[in-house]
């Protein structure tokens, strides 16, 4: 802990130690912190009967010595957390946000928790952050600390009408949202009759370093009357979301890594401080869409100055195209066609560093130097010069955290620069994992990036992450998960420092698609590849659901037209791209003239729509799509109108009803009345918008002028 941080805690304690009244309340935005002389601080929403409940301690601290005050399997009522008492508080407001700082201490262990609750202006959301300091004489081993624990409902009956919304995720099938009745997870077991709170729980958990590889790190609780509580956990390491029930209602606990789920522990010597994983929470009376709208506004605030970055159209040569085997001969025609289409950044994906004779270069990554044999007559510089000569910026693919077992870097870097378990390097699928806490690891990548920027004028880096190294590294860490958390924080710090050194450099966050899409990283990167899905027919549910957890202007949705596609199929894949940030790929040089015209039309439209993306909030007229949904719709409220992206995967002609859509409607894409005579018929009715579609795949971008 820094001297400044110690001084801040001391000043807050000194200022308020004698003046804390019983039943004190600190308002911060739409939320409120409450505590008393005999109860710890809790988080509530004064205007809600659903979100927040006094008496549920905001922070729960579990140690190797003390777990719960009352036995259960849930992450609340920790023995130490129950003993926390507020010693000081402070509320401040500026142009960006209001902040409440509360300091609590445990007289038994000497643990101090400094909590900062920040409410950005213009969003009904708060960010919750804790610093845990060991103010006692003995070493404390933390095994879990809740980032936020909050009650919901006021009685057992209130839980009968609550739905739990979460998203399963995996490679090629990201963001698969579903709603589950809370009573399916936490059955009514007549707690008042027994006079006790429940001991069970329901939970979702991440594993390893793919923070969204199994579950997306955000979710929501909604009640039948429309009240909603939504959350996101901001870490690239382990996280856990836990539900439990009491006689007075439900409890939601959000955590970073834990002992039971992630093999986490952190030794805290006297005077040392541990920073808990931050989370965001929002509440809305307007249901799921209302709560996600507030999280969307919060995410923009979280990005700070990065939210003002330009939103260029990017072409990448990987998806359904060169697939990691670029050459000069193949790239030059793609570069020319991309420029013709209006692309602004041309990114050369994986393989630029690998000798073609190797074939599978998976085990050789890590040195990041041009393979001259791959680029004839002028090398990589000639290719990049062509990109820039045609008015585009140049980008390259990197996977900065890995080194293949056959890479020269594997021998050049010390063991301490890599993840280790029990004294040996961790290997996953023939690759080692760098530990960015070590100066040699950071120095190696600093030199790489500096070289690419200076030598080639690279202004865009697609940063990929294709392995999951497991629990983490126990080198210079209490446990492996402790080391993983520290590495992810060091990696984020490296990303920030790289951009400070190279202010014009844009960074894409990729991880086998979206296996590590979290706002620890998205707050400091430019774009998120939403999937590696190569089947254009399967992409719509990914694209439509992505704005639940990713800002619309950061959703890099791939569109990859191919010569074998019909005109309607070409439109279909381009609508997927237009529904977020249009991310182009495909053999543009092989396309029919009418397909190239459609791409140029889509790019031109996107350059208009992208100005509206930065203020847009998503909504879902048909609800969040099932993976096999025949009809899918994503809406974006903009300042000027509503945009609707509609995909029809029915084989037969379909009648689609979009409830609640009112106003003057026109088709933005594709332009014209029809595609090869295939027309979508639109009709406004009292209940909303009716669409009649012809047989077969189809998609459209609609604009609805409100009022």
């Amino acid at each position: 802990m820094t001297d400044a941080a110690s001084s801040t805690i001391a000043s807050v304690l000194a200022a308020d130690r004698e003046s804390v009244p019983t039943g004190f309340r600190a308002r911060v935005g739409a939320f409120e912190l409450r505590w008393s002389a005999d109860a710890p601080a809790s988080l509530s929403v004064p205007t809600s009967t659903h979100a927040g409940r006094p008496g549920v301690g905001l922070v729960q601290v579990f140690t190797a010595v003390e777990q719960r005050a009352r036995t259960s399997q849930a992450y609340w009522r920790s023995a130490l957390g129950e003993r926390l008492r507020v010693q000081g508080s402070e509320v401040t407001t500026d142009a960006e946000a209001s902040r409440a700082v509360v300091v609590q201490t445990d007289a038994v262990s000497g643990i101090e928790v400094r909590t900062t609750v920040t409410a950005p202006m213009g969003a009904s959301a708060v960010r919750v952050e804790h610093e845990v300091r060991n103010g006692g004489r003995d070493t404390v081993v933390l095994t879990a600390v809740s980032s936020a624990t909050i009650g919901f409902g006021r009685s057992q009956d209130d839980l009968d009408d609550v739905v739990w919304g979460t998203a399963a995720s995996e490679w090629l099938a990201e963001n698969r949202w579903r709603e589950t009745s809370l009573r399916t997870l936490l059955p009514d077991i007549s707690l008042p009759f027994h006079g006790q709170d429940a001991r069970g729980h329901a939970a979702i958990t991440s594993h390893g370093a793919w923070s969204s590889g199994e579950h997306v790190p955000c979710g929501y609780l909604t009640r039948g009357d429309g009240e909603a509580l939504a959350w996101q956990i901001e870490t690239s390491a382990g996280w856990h979301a836990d539900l439990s029930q009491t006689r007075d209602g439900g409890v939601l606990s959000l955590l970073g890594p834990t002992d039971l789920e992630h093999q986490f522990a952190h030794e805290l010597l006297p005077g040392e401080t541990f920073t808990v994983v931050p989370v965001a929470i929002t509440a809305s009376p307007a249901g799921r869409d209302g709560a996600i709208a507030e999280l969307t506004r919060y995410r923009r605030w979280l990005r700070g100055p990065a939210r003002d970055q330009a939103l260029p159209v990017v072409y990448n040569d990987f998806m359904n195209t060169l697939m990691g085997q670029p050459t000069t001969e193949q790239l030059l025609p793609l570069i020319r066609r991309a420029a013709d289409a209006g692309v602004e950044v041309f990114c050369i994906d994986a393989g630029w560093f690998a000798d073609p004779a190797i074939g599978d270069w998976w085990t050789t990554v890590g040195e990041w130097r041009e393979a001259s044999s791959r680029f004839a007559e002028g090398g990589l510089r000639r290719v990049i010069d062509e990109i820039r000569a045609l008015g585009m910026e140049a980008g390259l693919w990197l996977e900065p955290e890995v080194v293949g077992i056959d890479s020269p870097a594997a021998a050049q870097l010390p063991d301490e620069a890599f993840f280790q378990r029990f004294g040996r390097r961790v290997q996953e699928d023939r690759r080692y994992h760098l530990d960015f806490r070590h100066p040699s690891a950071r120095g190696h990548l600093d030199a790489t990036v500096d070289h690419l920027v200076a030598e080639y004028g690279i202004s865009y880096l697609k940063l990929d992450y294709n392995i999951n190294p497991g629990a983490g590294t126990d080198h210079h860490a209490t446990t492996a998960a402790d080391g993983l958390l520290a590495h992810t924080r060091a990696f984020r710090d490296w990303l920030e420092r790289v951009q400070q050194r190279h202010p014009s450099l844009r960074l894409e966050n990729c991880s086998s698609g979206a296996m590590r899409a979290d706002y620890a990283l998205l707050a400091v990167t430019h774009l998120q590849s939403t999937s590696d899905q190569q089947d254009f027919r399967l992409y719509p549910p990914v694209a439509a659901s992505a704005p639940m957890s990713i800002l619309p202007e950061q959703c890099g949705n791939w569109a990859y037209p191919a010569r074998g596609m019909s005109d309607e199929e070409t439109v279909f894949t381009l609508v997927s791209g237009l529904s977020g940030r249009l991310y182009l790929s495909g053999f543009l040089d092989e396309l029919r003239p009418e397909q190239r015209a459609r791409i140029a039309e889509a790019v031109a439209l996107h350059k208009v729509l992208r100005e509206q993306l930065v203020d847009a909030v998503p909504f879902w007229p048909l609800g969040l799509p099932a993976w096999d949904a025949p009809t899918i719709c994503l809406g974006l409220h903009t300042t000027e109108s509503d945009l609707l992206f509609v995909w029809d995967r029915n084989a037969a002609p379909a009648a689609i009803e979009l409830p609640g859509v009112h106003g003057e409607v026109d088709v933005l894409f594709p332009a014209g009345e029809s595609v090869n005579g295939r027309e979508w018929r639109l009709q406004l009715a009292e209940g909303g918008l009716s669409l009649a579609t012809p047989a077969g795949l189809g998609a459209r971008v609609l604009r609805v002028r409100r009022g």
Side-chain angles (χ1 to χ4, degrees), residues 308-495:
D308 298 323
Q309 289 176 328
L311 307 178
V313 178
V314 180
Y315 175 92
N316 182 295
D317 67 32
F318 183 80
M319 191 77 85
N320 292 355
T321 314
L322 303 185
M323 300 298 291
Q325 297 294 343
T327 64
T328 302
E329 181 182 12
Q330 291 176 306
L331 284 169
L332 292 181
L334 294 175
I335 292 167
R336 296 179 189 120
R337 287 301 185 188
D340 290 343
V343 166
E344 294 157 309
V345 174
F346 190 103
C347 183
I348 300 169
D349 207 274
W352 60 270
F353 44 80
D355 187 330
I358 295 174
D360 181 7
W361 42 255
W362 181 262
T363 66
T364 67
V365 298
E367 190 176 27
W368 310 122
R369 288 294 183 268
E370 169 190 348
S372 56
S373 57
R374 184 173 287 278
F375 303 102
E377 301 179 16
L380 181 60
R381 179 185 292 279
R382 177 194 172 194
V383 176
I384 290 177
D385 285 348
E386 180 71 8
I387 292 170
R388 301 180 74 179
L390 291 174
M392 297 181 291
E393 297 181 50
L396 283 178
W397 178 95
L398 279 182
E399 196 170 353
E401 292 161 272
V402 301
V403 172
I405 59 174
D406 296 322
S407 170
Q412 294 165 359
L413 294 170
D415 285 341
E416 292 76 13
F418 295 92
F419 276 27
Q420 297 183 59
R421 296 290 301 279
F422 307 107
R424 299 187 65 182
R425 290 188 190 182
V426 173
Q427 186 181 140
E428 167 76 4
D429 194 4
R430 299 160 293 153
R431 289 176 163 192
Y432 301 123
H433 196 293
L434 287 171
D435 186 342
F436 270 59
R437 295 176 299 168
H438 197 277
S440 294
R442 294 192 305 275
H444 173 60
L445 268 301
D446 280 339
T448 295
V449 174
D450 293 350
H451 168 72
L452 295 177
V453 172
E455 182 70 16
Y456 301 107
I458 295 300
S459 60
Y460 185 95
L461 288 174
K462 176 183 177 180
L463 302 182
D464 214 339
Y465 189 66
N466 289 307
I467 65 169
N468 190 339
T473 174
D474 57 19
H475 183 65
H476 287 169
T478 308
T479 63
D482 186 35
L484 176 61
L485 178 61
H487 158 76
T488 61
R489 288 171 165 170
F491 179 65
R492 176 192 155 115
D493 180 69
W494 177 78
L495 292 175

Side-chain angles (χ1 to χ4, degrees), residues 568 646-648 656 667 673-674 678-682 691-694 697-700 702:
E568 195 68 82
V646 186
W647 297 264
D648 176 19
I656 304 168
V667 178
E673 294 296 321
S674 64
R678 293 165 47 84
E679 183 179 353
W680 283 36
R681 295 190 301 276
L682 316 179
L691 308 176
T693 68
L697 286 175
R700 297 292 186 270
L702 310 178

